[in-house]
């Protein structure tokens, strides 16, 4: 691993920024193509970002995008904050592994591979490869106790670092971190509120489609957990230990290490966004290697985007998680690269440019 991590500390090296010379060259090239200047808007920006991440213009096509799903259960789910029971997490892990879930269909259409990993599912995992990085079964109920122990939060961060290294070493040229877990929008909301100063009612959404009584229980759980989280909000590891979970901590480690490894990332929705805020605290500058794929239906996700100063590529009213929004936006990245490699220039085509 490139990150220094011991029993006492987990520290990331300084994050290198994407190549601004390559970005500028991509922007210059767009000005020579047979189309009006800046007429393709965000697609031009996205292609220039990809060129900067790769350090070359025009950028290479993305050939091995990978969706990595981090699964975990959360003790707060027992307080009635979700429309589903905790047992559904383990069932969905199996469905993703079998290629039956929504993310499988979306990723296959976009040409991405999918890997699901059990970090903290409250069930025995029959597939040992899926449970390779398991930290514990479930997490503490964050309204009254810490999500993880000191050793567990560091084990989860190290797991995320190792997973990112393994994916990049295996040839992944774009990463899509994803979440899966009943009740995970509650700790995500707490983490976001702790880092932004938002009040509980501002960060509590409908999650899995909850009704009003469930929303009220969820708001109370976030309120109580936030009281505990705000005492440690300046320490990202302590915040993940207090109000996160093994899946969220591993996601944070994964996102920070992707930046260390100079690998572009498409961010998904609420839980990934919460982890991204912690990753930026752990490794300042990591966000320059991320693009926001979409805007979730969760109100706290807009706070994530504002906090990280990221503008979403699409807004499709997706609230699922699982990497669904990011997989849906992935074809835009392929388009942005092909525009820079396949559209002719005025000089090469003989097509006249704009009038002087």
């Amino acid at each position: 691993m490139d990150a220094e991590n011991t029993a006492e500390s987990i520290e990331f090296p300084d994050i290198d920024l994407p190549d601004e010379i390559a970005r500028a060259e991509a922007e210059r090239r767009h000005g020579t193509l047979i189309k009006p200047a800046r007429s393709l808007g965000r697609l031009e920006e996205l292609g220039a970002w990809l060129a900067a991440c790769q350090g070359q213009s025009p950028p290479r096509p993305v050939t091995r995008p990978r969706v990595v799903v981090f699964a975990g259960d959360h003790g707060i789910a027992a307080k009635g904050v979700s429309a589903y029971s905790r047992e559904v997490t383990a069932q969905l892990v199996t469905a993703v592994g079998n290629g039956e879930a929504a993310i499988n269909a979306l990723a296959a259409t976009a040409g991405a591979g999918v890997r699901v990993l059990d970090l903290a599912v409250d069930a025995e995992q029959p597939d040992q490869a899926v449970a390779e990085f398991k930290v514990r079964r479930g997490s503490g109920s964050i309204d009254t106790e810490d999500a993880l122990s000191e050793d567990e939060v560091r084990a989860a961060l190290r797991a995320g670092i190792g997973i990112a290294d393994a994916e990049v070493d295996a040839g992944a040229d774009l990463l899509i971190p994803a979440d899966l877990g009943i009740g995970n929008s509650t700790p995500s909301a707490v983490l976001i509120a702790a880092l932004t100063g938002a009040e509980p009612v501002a960060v509590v959404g409908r999650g899995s489609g909850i009704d009003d009584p469930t929303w009220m229980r969820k708001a109370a759980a976030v309120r109580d957990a936030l009281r505990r989280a705000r005492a440690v909000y300046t320490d990202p590891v302590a915040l993940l230990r207090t109000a996160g979970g093994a899946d969220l901590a591993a996601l944070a480690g994964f996102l920070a290490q992707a930046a260390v490894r100079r690998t572009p990332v498409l961010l998904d929705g609420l839980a990934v966004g919460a982890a991204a805020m912690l990753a930026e605290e752990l490794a300042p500058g990591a966000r320059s290697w991320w693009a926001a794929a979409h805007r979730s239906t969760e109100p706290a996700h807009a706070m994530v985007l504002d906090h990280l100063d990221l503008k979403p590529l699409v807004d499709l009213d997706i609230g699922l998680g699982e990497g669904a929004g990011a997989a849906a936006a992935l074809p835009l990245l392929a388009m942005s690269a092909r525009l820079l490699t396949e559209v002719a220039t005025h000089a090469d085509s003989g097509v006249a440019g704009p009038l002087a």
Side-chain angles (χ1 to χ4, degrees):
M1 298 179 191
D2 291 328
E4 178 187 342
N5 48 77
T6 67
E8 292 76 31
S9 65
I10 293 178
E11 296 180 359
F12 292 89
D14 291 343
I15 300 298
D16 294 329
L17 296 178
D19 188 336
E20 291 304 317
I21 295 176
R23 189 195 306 269
E25 172 57 26
E27 292 170 349
R28 184 205 64 79
R29 180 173 174 80
H30 262 298
T32 71
L33 303 181
I34 52 172
K35 60 177 181 61
R38 296 176 294 280
S39 59
L40 289 171
R42 295 297 306 287
L43 287 175
E44 297 186 21
E45 294 175 18
L46 187 60
W49 171 76
L50 184 60
C53 290
Q54 293 181 357
Q56 69 172 60
S57 177
R60 299 182 301 274
V62 172
T63 58
R64 197 171 187 275
R66 291 281 286 173
V67 178
V68 184
V69 183
F70 292 74
D73 278 308
H74 296 266
I76 197 69
K79 303 296 176 69
V81 298
S82 175
Y84 292 85
S85 66
R86 294 174 69 181
E87 292 76 19
V88 173
T89 303
Q91 295 164 4
L92 285 171
V93 168
T94 300
V96 173
N98 290 340
E100 300 169 339
I103 184 55
N104 299 105
L106 292 165
T109 303
V114 177
R115 179 185 186 188
V116 61
L117 294 168
D118 171 359
L119 275 297
V121 178
D122 192 16
E124 292 300 319
Q125 186 56 246
D127 186 341
Q128 291 307 302
V130 173
E132 177 183 359
F133 297 96
K134 187 158 187 166
V135 173
R136 59 179 282 173
R137 288 182 57 156
S139 66
S141 186
I142 59 173
D143 57 338
T144 58
E145 61 184 331
D146 285 352
L148 303 167
S149 70
E150 288 278 2
D151 287 343
E152 288 166 347
V153 70
R154 297 179 193 283
L157 284 162
R158 287 192 291 269
I161 292 166
I163 294 162
D165 280 334
E167 291 295 336
V168 175
D169 290 343
D173 53 4
L174 178 84
L175 295 172
I176 295 177
D179 68 280
L180 194 164
I182 300 305
N184 71 9
S185 65
T186 300
S188 299
V190 174
L191 295 174
I192 293 164
L195 290 173
T196 63
E199 292 301 315
V201 292
V203 294
V204 178
R206 294 289 174 171
S208 53
I210 58 177
D211 58 17
D212 288 346
T214 306
W215 186 93
M216 293 176 67
R217 289 192 295 271
K218 184 175 180 178
V222 170
R223 176 201 64 206
D224 294 343
L226 188 55
R227 289 192 185 117
R228 304 180 65 256
R230 281 186 169 149
V232 295
Y233 81 96
T234 59
D235 181 340
V237 176
L239 185 54
L240 285 164
R241 182 199 73 229
T242 303
D247 49 346
L248 296 169
L251 275 165
F254 181 90
L255 282 159
Q257 189 66 4
V260 171
R261 297 297 302 271
R262 302 178 62 89
T263 303
V265 170
L266 273 183
L267 296 181
D268 193 49
L270 182 72
V272 171
M277 291 175 65
L278 271 299
E280 176 65 16
E281 295 290 318
L282 291 164
R287 64 183 178 180
S288 61
W289 294 91
W290 310 332
H294 77 122
R295 185 187 306 277
S296 166
T297 54
E298 288 288 305
H301 190 232
M303 299 179 191
V304 171
L305 298 175
D306 288 343
H307 186 84
L308 295 174
D309 194 23
L310 295 173
K311 186 162 58 172
L313 296 173
V314 298
D315 188 345
L316 300 175
D317 290 334
I318 291 175
L320 175 62
E322 294 182 22
L330 179 57
L332 297 176
L333 199 64
M335 293 176 193
S336 73
R338 294 186 71 165
L339 286 169
L340 283 163
T341 57
E342 298 181 15
V343 178
T345 65
H346 288 287
D348 291 339
S349 67
V351 176
L355 297 173

